[in-house]
Amino acid sequence: MARLYPDAHCELDFTSPLELLVATILSAQCTDKRVNLVTPKLFARYPSAADYASADREELEGLIRSTGFYRSKANSILGLGRKLCDEYGGEVPGDLDDLVRLPGVGRKTANVVLGNAFGVPGLTVDTHFGRLVRRFGWTEETDPVKVEHAIGGLFPPKDWTLLSHRLIWHGRRICHSRRPACGACELARWCPSFGEGPTDADAAAALVRNGPFS
DNA sequence: ATCCCGAGGG
DNA sequence: CCCTCTGGAT
């Protein structure tokens, strides 16, 4: 997979931790492409946390409407701006525990920001990530936090961020939720979930050992 | 478990 | 028309 996706990366457009944080909140149940359509105007209108804190709700909703769930997302961003100003001097904290306490920010979003804006290794366990690692036989867990810990034990931290992007890219392009394109998958021969492919426990380990992921 | 609430694909 | 899509909060 290192060969398949040598430079997998975050596809959200951003130039600062704050921009990435907001873009990631907007990306919930929405494609990155659509988020990137609205963020240029959004970031120009609200350059700082204080600008979000004092934003007009209706105007903010209008700017992010096409990303879906715009009312709750606007709520999160408004609260986010306030909390960043009140408790963090207007700066985005570079710490998982602090990030997760911000409105609209769960563990997945926090790890995206840590990994891509702060250079802190993090596994971003979203629906793709979880589905793939289960199909690969790397874990049976379904709880995202348990998945994160299980997979974290298989790879060194320095690989976590890139691994996350590679899994997500592969999930989007090939290993779909409904009809995975196993015929086009170069990993099928190692995949325990592939039709007549290897189903023994070694197959999962082979996927890790063969290093296509790290 | 359910709500939030938009767009595109099959 | 139904389903899905890089969630999070209640």
Side-chain angles (χ1 to χ4, degrees), chain A residues 23-44:
Chain A
T24 307
I25 288 173
L26 293 179
S27 76
Q29 297 299 93
C30 175
T31 62
D32 285 1
K33 192 195 289 184
R34 180 156 301 280
V35 173
N36 291 336
L37 243 35
V38 312
T39 47
K41 276 189 195 167
L42 187 70
F43 296 160

Side-chain angles (χ1 to χ4, degrees), chain A residues 21-83:
Chain A
L21 181 54
V22 172
T24 307
I25 288 173
L26 293 179
S27 76
Q29 297 299 93
C30 175
T31 62
D32 285 1
K33 192 195 289 184
R34 180 156 301 280
V35 173
N36 291 336
L37 243 35
V38 312
T39 47
K41 276 189 195 167
L42 187 70
F43 296 160
R45 181 70 184 86
Y46 310 109
S48 73
D51 296 314
Y52 287 119
S54 62
D56 175 74
R57 178 182 300 273
E58 313 253 305
E59 184 183 5
L60 177 58
E61 287 181 355
L63 284 168
I64 66 174
R65 183 167 40 78
S66 69
T67 65
F69 302 144
Y70 61 87
R71 281 202 267 265
S72 58
K73 286 176 181 176
N75 250 337
S76 296
I77 293 170
L78 242 18
L80 184 73
R82 284 188 222 110
K83 190 151 187 170

Side-chain angles (χ1 to χ4, degrees), chain A residues 129-188:
Chain A
F129 189 114
R131 181 178 72 252
L132 265 69
V133 296
R134 282 189 292 275
R135 282 181 177 166
F136 290 160
W138 289 353
T139 182
E140 310 260 323
E141 301 289 354
T142 54
D143 175 64
V145 176
K146 289 181 179 171
V147 170
E148 189 181 324
H149 288 136
I151 306 308
L154 298 177
F155 296 88
K158 69 174 177 59
D159 292 338
W160 289 355
T161 300
L162 189 51
L163 171 68
S164 298
H165 288 132
R166 285 173 173 157
L167 287 169
I168 292 165
W169 277 36
H170 192 59
R172 282 200 331 208
R173 289 163 176 71
I174 304 287
C175 197
H176 309 129
S177 174
R178 273 300 161 89
R179 291 152 41 208
C182 299
C185 182
E186 301 194 37
L187 306 172

